[in-house]
Amino acid sequence: MMFKKSLLNFKKQLNEAVNFGRNVSFSNVSKVLVCGMGGSALPGDFVKSLFYPLNFEISVCRDYEIPGFVGEDYIVFCISYSGNTKETIRMYESLVKITDKIVVITSGGKIGELARKYNSELILVPAGLQPRIAIGYLTFPVINVMVNSGIVKYNLSTEVNKANLVLNYDFEKQGKKIAGMLKDTVPLIYVSGADNIIGLKWKISFNENTKIPAFYNLFPEWNHNEINSFENNPCKFTAVMINDKYDNEILKKRFIITKDLLKDRGLEVLSIDLQGRNKLSRLLFGISLGDWVSYELALIYRQDAESVPVVEELKKRLEE
């Protein structure tokens, strides 16, 4: 029930998070690096989708080692919801040796202590969620700092107010319906490059919440390789095609033709239309719907959507 409560409180989280990071800014910066793992790395992907096509440089580092290109024109965000992510702590300890333009976003933990020690900008967010559900708390501070630092022009409060309407959608009802259609299949999620964060988030939600394999790919790239794999298809897949009415006409045509080609080869194809008039609305709609679908499918499979037992076992073994 705790996980369901987190889903029900998503709109509340977003409206609370809109003020995080408003007092943080840097001068003489034009590029962004986001360092994190799992759900804590998603803010970088969210920002890429929100401001697509990009007119600034942003990279996401999911590793132990930092890239060699970081300079004084970068803002670096080190994000660890728990504050104890080993990879992110190691990246932070390397970064403080080369730049002081670092923002740590966390609910506490060791990286919070290190941020205080090295006088990095520290944005504390509420604890008690799984990182993959805390996307508002972790992402909105990144946007606010970027705006304050002159990298982008964006009125987050105004855009969130517009998004509130679409977030009143009955995600639970629709999530239950879609989950029933995905039962006993492997979901393959397909989105346009502009909506990359939605495809990635659906995949992660199925992996962690439902405990099943799931995969995603992007239009138009997957039309040049993966689509050919269904000529010899030994597995039971369902293609989930997430449509954005604001995609360009060429992409829309690709979606239609691809759907027919997959059906001709015996695949089940599920089409989902994103709702919302502004980009933030459509991204949040897609993410929220995916969370509810994965949760309802977890109930069907009698899985605890909150826990990640294999991840925890891996961490334990690494400590031995």
Side-chain angles (χ1 to χ4, degrees), residues 210-224:
T210 318
K211 281 74 176 175
I212 60 171
F215 306 92
Y216 92 104
N217 213 329
L218 304 176
F219 278 94
E221 170 60 22
W222 85 280
N223 280 174
H224 294 266

Side-chain angles (χ1 to χ4, degrees), residues 34 180 220 309:
V34 176

Side-chain angles (χ1 to χ4, degrees), residues 219-243:
F219 278 94
E221 170 60 22
W222 85 280
N223 280 174
H224 294 266
N225 36 64
E226 185 173 319
I227 193 171
N228 202 59
S229 64
F230 300 110
E231 286 291 271
N232 178 29
N233 176 27
C235 303
K236 189 173 183 181
F237 295 115
T238 296
V240 181
M241 300 181 67
I242 301 178
N243 310 295

Side-chain angles (χ1 to χ4, degrees), residues 36-206:
M37 303 299 299
S40 295
L42 291 175
D45 302 291
F46 192 106
V47 168
K48 283 185 175 184
S49 289
L50 181 63
F51 295 108
Y52 181 95
L54 299 173
N55 61 4
F56 59 90
E57 290 186 29
I58 177 169
S59 303
V60 183
C61 188
R62 296 171 164 94
D63 207 337
Y64 285 101
E65 310 301 334
I66 60 171
F69 53 69
V70 179
E72 283 300 307
D73 54 348
Y74 272 85
I75 301 176
V76 181
F77 295 92
C78 289
I79 307 175
S80 169
Y81 184 71
S82 69
N84 297 311
T85 311
K86 301 293 186 183
E87 298 94 329
T88 311
I89 290 171
R90 177 163 170 165
M91 285 189 282
Y92 175 77
E93 290 176 327
S94 298
L95 285 160
V96 293
K97 298 174 183 177
I98 61 174
T99 181
D100 59 359
K101 296 176 180 178
I102 303 175
V103 181
V104 172
I105 303 174
T106 183
S107 65
K110 183 176 179 180
I111 202 168
E113 296 172 2
L114 289 171
R116 293 185 181 94
K117 176 181 176 181
Y118 291 107
N119 295 314
S120 297
E121 293 287 354
L122 175 61
I123 299 174
L124 290 173
V125 302
L129 300 176
Q130 287 293 335
R132 59 191 181 275
I133 301 298
I135 196 164
Y137 287 146
L138 300 179
T139 301
F140 285 3
V142 174
I143 296 171
N144 280 330
V145 175
M146 290 175 63
V147 170
N148 296 344
S149 303
I151 294 177
V152 292
K153 292 182 179 180
Y154 193 74
N155 191 320
L156 183 58
S157 295
T158 298
E159 298 303 314
V160 170
N161 285 336
K162 293 177 183 177
N164 279 329
L165 183 62
V166 79
L167 292 174
N168 291 326
Y169 184 82
D170 193 344
F171 291 106
E172 184 172 6
K173 179 180 178 181
Q174 187 67 6
K176 191 173 296 185
K177 178 181 177 181
I178 295 172
M181 299 168 72
L182 293 175
K183 183 177 181 292
D184 298 326
T185 70
V186 176
L188 305 175
I189 304 102
Y190 298 114
V191 297
S192 69
D195 295 322
N196 175 67
I197 180 60
I198 297 175
L200 175 58
K201 185 63 170 64
W202 275 61
K203 175 202 178 300
I204 289 172
S205 294
F206 283 128

